[in-house]
């Protein structure tokens, strides 16, 4: 059974803290993605990665950074958390294989609250 | 600019067909149309996708307008387990553009 796991389901942090959200996939996928989901705004892409040590900005990268040191792991970093980063964060992965038709597999999400 | 437009919510009676519409008037020739759904407290999951022709799979059918500016996801017999938010997405390369989705309520 394919799987994308995220390090925490719920997380509470204080303003100014450095926050790490971890995502691991066991499907040997090349692509990995970080989204945030807010009511009325749907899912918005923060960053994605095509390969180890590669990263590309999505639609809303401000205030975030990412790290991909190993193929299976993609980390989202909030250097100095702010209250407007309170949100649901979703990680996804997909294969470069053309036959996979770019299907993305999502993790269960991390609900982050910044106080 | 929104790439897809969907109604915020829809209701259906159990065991009846459901037609979920999506407008994507700015679609380009190489954009694929994907549908995902998100059950409560879960991440989105793939439902179906298409480019130009109508598509069927075990979960649903996808009807794509001839000009490709709109599409409709068809659930042939809604069940309570189909209650979810349904997203119509345009795929450009590896990037997904999610709309805000349609929240489907299934009435027993």
């Amino acid at each position: 059974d394919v799987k994308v796991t995220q390090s925490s389901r719920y997380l509470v942090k204080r303003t100014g803290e450095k926050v790490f959200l971890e995502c691991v996939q066991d499907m040997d996928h090349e692509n990995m993605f970080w989204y945030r989901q807010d009511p009325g705004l749907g899912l918005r892409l923060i960053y994605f990665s095509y390969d180890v040590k590669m990263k590309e900005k999505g639609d809303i990268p401000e205030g975030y950074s990412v790290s991909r040191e190993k193929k299976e792991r993609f980390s989202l970093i909030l250097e100095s958390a702010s209250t407007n980063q309170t949100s649901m964060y979703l990680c996804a992965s997909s294969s470069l294989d053309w036959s996979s038709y770019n299907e993305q597999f999502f993790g269960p999400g991390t609900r982050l609250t910044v106080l | 600019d929104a790439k897809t437009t969907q109604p915020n919510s829809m209701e259906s009676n159990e065991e009846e067909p459901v037609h979920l519409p999506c407008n994507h008037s700015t679609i380009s020739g190489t954009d694929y149309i994907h549908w995902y759904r998100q059950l409560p407290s879960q991440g989105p999951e793939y439902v179906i996708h298409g480019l130009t022709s109508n598509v069927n799979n075990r979960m649903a059918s996808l009807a794509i307008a001839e000009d490709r500016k709109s599409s409709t996801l068809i659930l042939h017999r809604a069940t309570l387990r189909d209650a979810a938010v349904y997203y119509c997405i345009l795929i450009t390369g590896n990037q997904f553009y999610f709309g805000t989705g349609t929240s489907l309520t299934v009435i027993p």
Side-chain angles (χ1 to χ4, degrees):
Chain A
D1 205 15
V2 295
K3 216 164 192 180
V4 178
T5 56
Q6 296 183 228
S7 50
S8 305
R9 287 303 300 268
Y10 300 93
L11 205 54
V12 180
K13 295 292 182 181
R14 296 207 174 273
T15 301
E17 280 193 76
K18 190 169 186 176
V19 182
F20 292 87
L21 301 182
E22 305 286 339
C23 175
V24 178
Q25 50 96 2
D26 65 0
M27 296 164 281
D28 200 35
H29 283 168
E30 293 81 7
N31 303 321
M32 295 189 75
F33 307 82
W34 274 107
Y35 296 87
R36 65 177 281 177
Q37 184 173 30
D38 301 288
L41 295 176
L43 277 79
R44 293 178 293 166
L45 182 64
I46 304 172
Y47 268 97
F48 61 101
S49 170
Y50 291 124
D51 199 353
V52 175
K53 297 193 185 297
M54 303 295 288
K55 61 183 179 182
E56 296 285 342
K57 292 180 180 179
D59 297 321
I60 51 163
E62 297 78 20
Y64 303 94
S65 62
V66 290
S67 173
R68 191 158 180 210
E69 296 296 319
K70 293 186 178 182
K71 188 176 185 180
E72 68 270 18
R73 188 179 299 268
F74 193 34
S75 302
L76 180 69
I77 303 156
L78 288 66
E79 294 289 342
S80 177
S82 63
T83 54
N84 62 13
Q85 292 178 309
T86 292
S87 186
M88 171 69 83
Y89 290 87
L90 288 157
C91 175
S93 71
S94 69
S95 172
L96 276 179
D97 181 356
W98 67 271
S99 66
S100 76
Y101 45 83
N102 286 333
E103 179 182 355
Q104 290 195 3
F105 294 87
F106 283 82
T110 296
R111 185 164 294 283
L112 172 67
T113 301
V114 182
L115 301 176
Chain B
D1 291 338
K3 287 184 176 281
T4 64
T5 306
Q6 300 176 252
N8 287 333
S9 61
M10 292 184 65
E11 285 186 352
S12 173
N13 293 319
E14 196 176 9
E15 303 293 317
E16 290 189 357
V18 183
H19 290 232
L20 298 166
C22 180
N23 287 320
H24 29 79
S25 58
T26 60
I27 192 170
S28 72
T30 56
D31 286 344
Y32 280 79
I33 302 157
H34 283 226
W35 284 80
Y36 278 63
R37 72 178 186 181
Q38 187 172 19
L39 302 170
S41 301
Q42 294 186 28
E45 61 179 3
Y46 169 84
V47 176
I48 200 166
H49 81 286
L51 182 62
T52 56
S53 305
N54 295 343
V55 183
N56 299 298
N57 68 17
R58 62 175 180 81
M59 289 181 71
S61 296
L62 176 60
I64 300 173
E66 200 168 328
D67 64 4
R68 301 209 326 125
K69 293 185 176 182
S70 65
S71 61
T72 302
L73 179 70
I74 302 164
L75 307 179
H76 296 285
R77 290 180 66 195
T79 70
L80 297 179
R81 288 173 295 181
D82 291 323
V85 178
Y86 287 79
Y87 292 98
C88 169
I89 303 158
L90 295 186
I91 314 299
T92 300
N94 262 312
Q95 293 201 52
F96 283 30
Y97 295 95
F98 282 80
T100 53
T102 297
S103 178
L104 176 65
T105 300
V106 180
I107 302 167

